[in-house]
Amino acid sequence: MVSLLGKTPDELQEVALEAGLPRFAGKQLAEWIYVRRATSFDEMTNISLRGRETLKARYTIGRHAPVAEAKSTDGTKKYLFKTPPLPPLRGRDRSDSGDENQSEGQYIEAVYIPEDDRATLCVSTQAGCKMGCKFCMTGTLGFHGHLPASEILNQIFSIPESATLSNIVYMGEGEPMDNIDEVLRSLSAMTAAWGCAWSPHRITVSSVGYPKGLKRFLDESECHLAISLHNPFAAERQQIMPIEKNHPIKDVLELIRGYDWTRQRRLSFEYICFGGENDTPRHAKELLRLMRGLNCRVNLIRFHAGVDQGFPASDEQQMVWLRDYLTMHGLTTTIRRSRGEDILAACGMLVNALQKEP
Ligand code: SF4
């Protein structure tokens, strides 16, 4: 059944007309779905009973609760969702996936991260991922499908803490720019006046640097951008991030430099620190060279010891040195606190370990 979550007011107007409802019912539907966050058609009391019955027979709202959750000692929560059957894969996606049968639906994860002054949700944009970054447990899942906007939005709308969220990061399973149509559609529903009317500056979308989708994201959205960098040298980056081969980071940076980063829109670089492999003075100097003239910040991320991918983690002292060296030379750098490591919810650890419903 077709889901209404993620549809624009114009599309909802079509839905209303097809259901024999007046044109203005499209606006009413948008309000029920995005503002009042209705989970069933029965709640839509300003739509005629007959109209609601017709809608119910043809559509779903698209809301469904997580099927399992895990809570970290630091308060982080990981939610497991089971999607309805995902849209069929086409062309290369199909061979990348190896999944002939999408009729079962897929398990995906979202991570809720409460802090003193904010509450962030990290959402997935694909089931698994095809980018194959060597340090990332999610990459080992392989690719199992693109999430429609309804399934991206459902993660935001259907966790129990939804109303408390202050920020959203698109940093869960998948490469957002590889599913750009649905990612933009979800961002639009979150930020448009007809939708949730969030400021785009409360949302950050990450990317390994997939230029085609990235350009559309930069042109069609105002949300913040985080680039997964992890090594400033092309040859070394390629060893851990296959994307570097076809889409070198230098080209991605050239694209990024064509946009205005002096306004409120923020550009950051994610940098997981691997002991001796990307945290040395040689790397620090190259990072400074690569970022010269860019108004951005670097987030250093501790590599998680629980991830057995054969990479050494930097020690704390070296990360502090790298942060201070870059900052001293004019590149704002922070060390990001790790959250949810004990429940495999930290960066790069989403592996659907909870794939069975309780
Ligand atoms: Fe995919 Fe991101 Fe993991 Fe790379 S780091 S494999 S892009 S989920």
Side-chain angles (χ1 to χ4, degrees):
M1 229 189 275
V2 178
S3 163
L4 298 189
L5 194 57
K7 287 198 182 294
T8 63
D10 283 352
E11 290 165 339
L12 289 171
Q13 191 174 291
E14 289 302 312
V15 166
L17 291 173
E18 277 170 24
L21 291 162
R23 196 173 286 274
F24 65 80
K27 267 199 182 149
Q28 290 175 317
L29 280 170
E31 177 159 345
W32 279 112
I33 292 167
Y34 299 115
V35 183
R36 302 203 204 188
R37 306 275 181 104
T39 55
S40 81
F41 290 111
D42 295 328
E43 293 169 55
M44 303 180 179
T45 45
N46 59 356
I47 293 175
S48 70
L49 189 57
R50 210 162 127 200
R52 277 183 266 156
E53 290 305 320
T54 311
L55 289 170
K56 224 188 274 183
R58 298 179 187 176
Y59 302 96
T60 83
I61 292 180
R63 294 283 303 275
H64 55 93
V67 293
E69 66 174 75
K71 187 170 181 186
S72 162
T73 49
D74 66 17
T76 300
K77 281 186 179 177
K78 182 165 72 169
Y79 288 106
L80 182 74
F81 290 90
K82 185 168 188 197
T83 72
L86 296 179
L89 297 173
R90 296 197 181 86
R92 269 206 60 191
D93 282 349
R94 200 162 159 182
S95 46
D96 279 340
S97 157
D99 274 3
E100 291 297 317
N101 187 359
Q102 296 275 297
S103 61
E104 290 286 297
Q106 299 288 333
Y107 287 96
I108 54 154
E109 291 177 333
V111 180
Y112 169 72
I113 309 155
E115 288 167 285
D116 293 342
D117 57 345
R118 53 165 59 194
T120 304
L121 185 71
C122 174
V123 296
S124 295
T125 53
Q126 295 175 319
C129 186
K130 56 173 113 149
M131 296 298 144
C133 303
K134 299 282 190 284
F135 52 84
C136 172
M137 287 172 82
T138 311
T140 64
L141 292 173
F143 175 64
H144 300 286
H146 298 291
L147 297 188
S150 57
E151 288 304 309
I152 299 172
L153 291 167
N154 181 59
Q155 297 166 65
I156 301 166
F157 283 26
S158 294
I159 60 162
E161 300 84 359
S162 183
T164 71
L165 292 175
S166 62
N167 297 78
I168 295 168
V169 293
Y170 283 51
M171 294 185 182
E173 293 174 35
E175 161 58 38
M177 307 306 169
D178 183 43
N179 186 20
I180 192 64
D181 286 338
E182 300 303 312
V183 164
L184 286 173
R185 184 179 267 276
S186 69
L187 292 175
S188 184
M190 285 307 298
T191 57
W194 52 260
C196 301
W198 269 39
S199 159
H201 302 132
R202 291 165 69 188
I203 303 176
T204 302
V205 181
S206 85
S207 174
V208 289
Y210 194 70
K212 210 166 134 198
L214 183 55
K215 180 151 181 17
R216 282 198 55 205
F217 168 76
L218 291 170
D219 288 336
E220 297 175 37
S221 137
E222 284 294 316
C223 296
H224 296 320
L225 172 66
I227 293 287
S228 303
L229 179 61
H230 310 316
N231 200 304
F233 293 106
E236 293 176 26
R237 187 171 187 259
Q238 193 181 317
Q239 280 176 14
I240 55 171
M241 300 177 72
I243 184 87
E244 177 69 27
K245 185 165 186 246
N246 291 330
H247 304 295
I249 191 69
K250 70 170 178 38
D251 294 351
V252 174
L253 288 176
E254 204 175 300
L255 172 69
I256 286 172
R257 281 178 197 279
Y259 291 80
D260 183 3
W261 299 100
T262 57
R263 293 171 194 265
Q264 279 184 311
R265 190 176 209 183
R266 199 169 59 219
L267 171 64
S268 57
F269 290 87
E270 307 292 295
Y271 200 86
I272 300 178
C273 292
F274 304 111
E277 298 194 1
N278 68 352
D279 61 354
T280 68
R282 184 173 68 89
H283 292 93
K285 283 185 192 136
E286 184 63 10
L287 275 171
L288 289 174
R289 197 192 65 76
L290 207 60
M291 308 283 157
R292 198 168 292 144
L294 262 178
N295 186 16
C296 64
R297 70 169 67 180
V298 173
N299 293 320
L300 302 180
I301 303 165
R302 191 164 64 79
F303 184 60
H304 301 107
V307 184
D308 184 20
Q309 310 285 88
F311 290 92
S314 296
D315 61 38
E316 194 64 25
Q317 216 180 351
Q318 192 63 18
M319 286 181 72
V320 168
W321 172 83
L322 185 57
R323 178 196 64 192
D324 293 347
Y325 181 90
L326 295 175
T327 303
M328 204 166 63
H329 289 82
L331 186 55
T332 307
T333 305
T334 56
I335 297 176
R336 197 199 291 158
R337 196 153 67 95
S338 182
R339 300 292 303 266
E341 204 174 331
D342 55 333
I343 53 165
L344 294 182
C347 202
M349 294 178 96
L350 299 185
V351 282
N352 298 345
L354 295 168
Q355 280 203 349
K356 289 194 189 77
E357 295 178 35

